[in-house]
Amino acid sequence: MNMSDAELRQVLQTVLAGVSTRCDFVHGEALRPSGNTCLVQSGASYCATAGASDFHRASLNFYFPPNVSLAGRVWKSGCVEWHDDVSCLPSTIFLRAELAQQTDLKAALAIPLVRDSRVMAVCIFYKKNAQSPSPQLEQTTLSIANELWASCARTPMGSDMRFVMGDPKDVEQPLGKASVSKAWQRCQQSLDIEPEDRSEEELEKIIQYSKGVQFFKYITNNQRYDLCKSMTYTTLTRNQLVMQGNEGGVDNDEHCSSWHVVVSGRVDMCVRTSPEGRTYRMCSFKEGDTFASSYMKMFSTHAQISTHIEATTDAVCIVVHIPDEYRAEFRTCTRPLWYEELAQYFHMSIIQAAEALGMCMSAIKKICRRHGISRWPHRKLASVNKTISMLQSKISTAADDSSRGALMSEAVNVLTMKLRLTINPAYLVRDEAILQPAEAPAPGMSAPQSAPPAQSGGGGGPGAG
């Protein structure tokens, strides 16, 4: 007998309320998969403060694809994740960081509900204060959650589900032996020869292989020739370190002139958000994907965050060395920018952003269309930021708690509008009416979030896919 959506929501509601009250969490939310595309709000939630209610209402604006934000990563990994203070994290790690800051939510613990190795829901609990990882609290939370689940789940399917800690070392492995194309075999033999010793015939084999690689799709024949001439490859073993990022977002040029293209296997970008915290996998690179040190800079925004890239399985990567004369053109020709890379320039005018990126206006507009950006958001963003500053000033001088609460709810609405301008459209619910408070169908519960429509464009980003 299957568990209905209403039954699942009711049991999750009991778990969220029971764990939160017994473990001193002020907010709990439960998200469920909508097919294989993303997580959506299940309709179950627990809010002990007005700020938590505002946070949950604003959260109805977002979907979480696999590996995107805290919820998407736990869905994909099946492992518990804890962060000291999500309000201080970049949006590439925690999508709703600014909302958490506005609503006084700090430490966060996410736990997966699993059946037959498949994650059926992700529950996230928030504290009002920052707190370092606590293995004891994690175990207590899991024990209480499983105790409450067992007492409420009445169907055989429900009895097969349980909350688990998960094993971060247990990663998805390729099925069977990876097939090796004859084109790659010929290319590999040529790459085994030192670049200065390669004949034109050997170089042609490398060029022919590159024509089937997305990374080289938009470059000229002269650029292709020069890049293939200096190209090398590397064989990686499982858990081997590929790149180490500098802490605090400080530039590191060691790998800036080199890009890796995955030929086989899997390579992951990993982040540790505090010195005492665990290392979490942010996104994966598989066959045909590219990566470089510039990607790590989007995650390492302050001194406590450290990043690195490592081989999760045995892997083979092409290493493309970019000559100085091609670096500016390379940024626009050989790969699409991640949405999150582009978003770093939304505070500028489109002309200033184009100059900073080394692009012409037509190139940056083309990238915007690819990501579903119909209008450059600089002006709207400036207006919204001005409104937020005005509201913050009013909040600090509010005469009473009632006035302060109303202003804070309004600030959350405006901040949500800001996030809708800056966050990847592929992660957004289309209906902006949910910005307005809605009547809950039952105490402590909200209507379940609808499944997202099919997305077009949107294009890549940390954890996309």
Side-chain angles (χ1 to χ4, degrees), residues 33-165:
S34 175
N36 295 319
T37 59
C38 66
L39 287 177
V40 299
Q41 293 286 345
S42 68
S45 66
Y46 171 83
C47 302
T49 64
S53 297
D54 287 338
F55 179 85
H56 179 67
R57 176 168 49 84
S59 294
L60 296 175
N61 281 270
F62 309 110
Y63 299 129
F64 300 95
N67 281 326
V68 170
S69 196
L70 175 59
R73 287 193 302 276
V74 173
W75 177 32
K76 189 69 174 177
S77 70
C79 298
V80 164
E81 203 169 305
W82 175 292
H83 293 282
D84 302 26
D85 186 353
V86 292
S87 70
C88 293
L89 297 178
S91 61
T92 46
I93 297 177
F94 188 73
L95 198 65
R96 298 168 287 169
E98 288 187 85
L99 284 172
Q101 186 176 40
Q102 179 65 44
T103 55
D104 290 327
L105 298 180
K106 305 292 184 182
L109 170 63
I111 61 175
L113 176 66
V114 175
R115 178 177 182 266
D116 295 334
S117 300
R118 181 183 174 190
V119 176
M120 308 302 293
V122 174
C123 292
I124 308 178
F125 300 94
Y126 300 86
K127 283 184 170 288
K128 193 167 184 176
N129 300 309
Q131 183 175 332
S132 297
S134 169
Q136 182 179 357
L137 180 57
E138 290 176 357
Q139 290 292 349
T140 300
T141 299
L142 283 171
S143 296
I144 294 173
N146 280 319
E147 172 191 322
L148 292 169
W149 182 268
S151 66
C152 296
R154 305 298 183 189
T155 66
M157 176 174 280
S159 63
D160 290 342
M161 298 184 199
R162 62 191 179 91
F163 292 94
V164 300
M165 183 70 71

Side-chain angles (χ1 to χ4, degrees), residues 2 15 23 32 41 48 60 84 91 113 127 129 136 149 152 155 157 208 222 229 263 315 317 327 332 374 449 458-459:
N2 294 337
V15 170
C23 296
R32 59 176 179 80
Q41 293 286 345
L60 296 175
D84 302 26
S91 61
L113 176 66
K127 283 184 170 288
N129 300 309
Q136 182 179 357
W149 182 268
C152 296
T155 66
M157 176 174 280
Q208 288 302 315
N222 287 338
K229 192 173 182 179
V263 177
C317 296
R327 288 191 190 179
T332 62
S374 58
Q449 197 177 7

Side-chain angles (χ1 to χ4, degrees), residues 202-447:
E202 299 296 342
L203 183 55
E204 183 60 27
K205 295 176 184 177
I206 300 173
I207 291 173
Q208 288 302 315
Y209 178 76
S210 74
K211 291 180 178 178
V213 178
Q214 179 70 20
F215 181 79
F216 296 93
K217 183 175 180 180
Y218 300 106
I219 63 177
T220 66
N221 288 334
N222 287 338
Q223 290 172 334
R224 184 189 301 275
Y225 181 90
D226 290 341
L227 294 181
C228 289
K229 192 173 182 179
S230 61
M231 187 191 298
T232 58
Y233 80 97
T234 181
T235 301
L236 306 170
T237 57
R238 185 176 182 181
N239 298 327
Q240 181 177 338
L241 181 67
V242 183
M243 294 180 186
Q244 180 73 54
N246 275 15
E247 296 185 2
V250 179
D251 286 347
N252 182 353
D253 293 328
E254 181 182 354
H255 298 284
C256 285
S257 61
S258 298
W259 283 77
H260 287 61
V261 184
V262 181
V263 177
S264 63
R266 171 179 155 182
V267 178
D268 283 359
M269 185 189 304
C270 303
V271 170
R272 189 174 68 247
T273 57
S274 66
E276 303 83 16
R278 300 189 187 95
T279 297
Y280 299 111
R281 302 184 187 279
M282 294 290 116
C283 55
S284 300
F285 306 101
K286 300 179 181 179
E287 184 177 348
D289 293 337
T290 65
F291 62 89
S293 63
S294 61
Y295 286 179
M296 293 187 285
K297 295 173 188 176
M298 290 188 292
F299 294 87
S300 187
T301 56
H302 61 75
Q304 289 193 327
I305 299 178
S306 60
T307 59
H308 70 271
I309 296 176
E310 67 177 33
T312 311
T313 66
D314 291 346
V316 176
C317 296
I318 291 172
V319 184
V320 183
H321 307 279
I322 312 299
D324 291 343
E325 62 266 28
Y326 292 151
R327 288 191 190 179
E329 294 178 74
F330 163 78
R331 300 189 71 178
T332 62
C333 295
T334 62
R335 68 179 183 91
L337 286 173
W338 278 359
Y339 182 96
E340 287 74 12
E341 290 180 277
L342 192 63
Q344 295 177 87
Y345 301 92
F346 284 169
H347 66 284
M348 303 177 179
S349 70
I350 191 169
I351 296 174
Q352 293 171 320
E355 290 176 355
L357 286 165
M359 298 180 180
C360 63
M361 289 290 289
S362 59
I364 199 168
K365 287 179 179 179
K366 183 178 180 180
I367 293 171
C368 286
R369 286 195 297 270
R370 185 187 298 134
H371 287 301
I373 303 170
S374 58
R375 251 181 115 79
W376 188 255
H378 166 62
R379 289 185 179 178
K380 282 188 177 180
L381 194 56
S383 175
V384 169
N385 282 332
K386 184 177 179 180
T387 303
I388 291 173
S389 296
M390 180 188 68
L391 287 170
Q392 294 287 11
S393 177
K394 288 184 177 180
I395 289 170
S396 63
T397 58
D400 51 63
D401 290 343
S402 177
S403 299
R404 187 178 298 107
L407 287 168
M408 289 183 70
S409 292
E410 186 179 351
V412 169
N413 270 354
V414 178
L415 181 55
T416 304
M417 292 171 58
K418 174 185 176 180
L419 294 180
R420 292 188 69 92
L421 289 172
T422 57
I423 284 176
N424 193 328
Y427 309 160
L428 295 176
V429 175
R430 300 290 175 88
D431 184 7
E432 294 191 43
I434 59 176
L435 288 170
Q436 302 303 321
E439 226 178 277
M445 298 179 69
S446 58

